[in-house]
Amino acid sequence: AQSVTQPDIHITVSEGASLELRCNYSYGATPYLFWYVQSPGQGLQLLLKYFSGDTLVQGIKGFEAEFKRSQSSFNLRKPSVHWSDAAEYFCAVGAEWGGGNKLTFGTGTQLKVEL
Amino acid sequence: GAGVSQSPSNKVTEKGKDVELRCDPISGHTALYWYRQRLGQGLEFLIYFQGNSAPDKSGLPSDRFSAERTGESVSTLTIQRTQQEDSAVYLCASSTDRPPQHFGDGTRLSIL
């Protein structure tokens, strides 16, 4: 069965500092991988996705993520964090196309940004 | 509409009552998903619709939970005889034949 681990429950960074949120997945084949962000009281907004091809993917709001098959990881990065980035971040893995592509989510990382 | 719309945004009900949650997907999206998010946890998959059929309902936690969808349009998730452990945010997502999924803002359900 597929699974996602986000080892960091809470992370605090200073505004302007760099950010890396960790995500490890377990999946039997090439996964579809996603990062979503959730602000309080809101739904999930897609930051970026990986299906195949270039392992470094760019997303919205200046985020990027790198797929590393050998490490089963898909870490999210941002070079310079803004106070508005404070939110909860979820990594997710999707089933192969044809299987309905339901998503399995990690438990999330809560990001706090210090001014 | 422009995005996935869910109603109500908040629902408070007494234990034992039935509740209906509604999801209006993005126009043209054939796939629709329901997820549950308990406090401080990630999202749990509940059910997936392709059109009005549900090929995967493996995540429904008990027979008190059911869902239906009219064509490629609105879906309702019904919880009968609610229990306190049903308190959560229920999120709906839709997509075309291919990912990604686009999420609504959810319904926050509180069982007293």
Side-chain angles (χ1 to χ4, degrees), chain A residues 1-5 24-34 92-97 99-106, chain B residues 35 45 56 101:
Chain A
Q2 59 202 53
S3 66
V4 176
T5 301
N24 292 97
Y25 68 90
S26 173
Y27 189 69
T30 300
Y32 292 168
L33 291 160
F34 307 86
V93 62
E96 287 185 29
W97 170 242
N101 202 44
K102 64 184 179 184
L103 297 177
T104 298
F105 285 84
Chain B
Y35 294 87
F45 167 79
D56 188 348
Q101 298 172 24

Side-chain angles (χ1 to χ4, degrees), chain A residues 43-44, chain B residues 1-7 22-27 29 31-34 75 90-95 100-106:
Chain A
L44 276 69
Chain B
V4 177
S5 178
Q6 291 189 246
S7 61
R22 175 188 170 107
C23 173
D24 205 339
I26 293 171
S27 179
H29 280 191
L32 186 147
Y33 305 79
W34 284 98
S75 174
Y90 290 82
L91 288 157
C92 176
S94 70
S95 73
Q101 298 172 24
H102 300 267
F103 284 81
D105 286 342

Side-chain angles (χ1 to χ4, degrees), chain A residues 32 34 36 38 40-46 49 51 88 90 97 99-108, chain B residues 33 35 37 40-45 48 50 56 58 91 96-106 108:
Chain A
Y32 292 168
F34 307 86
Y36 284 87
Q38 185 178 37
Q42 302 292 311
L44 276 69
Q45 181 183 22
L46 179 69
K49 60 188 183 289
F51 293 164
E88 188 150 26
F90 291 95
W97 170 242
N101 202 44
K102 64 184 179 184
L103 297 177
T104 298
F105 285 84
T107 51
Chain B
Y33 305 79
Y35 294 87
Q37 184 178 25
Q41 299 186 22
L43 280 72
E44 307 168 71
F45 167 79
Y48 152 63
Q50 183 63 41
D56 188 348
S58 62
L91 288 157
T96 63
D97 288 348
R98 292 185 59 78
Q101 298 172 24
H102 300 267
F103 284 81
D105 286 342
R108 183 174 300 276

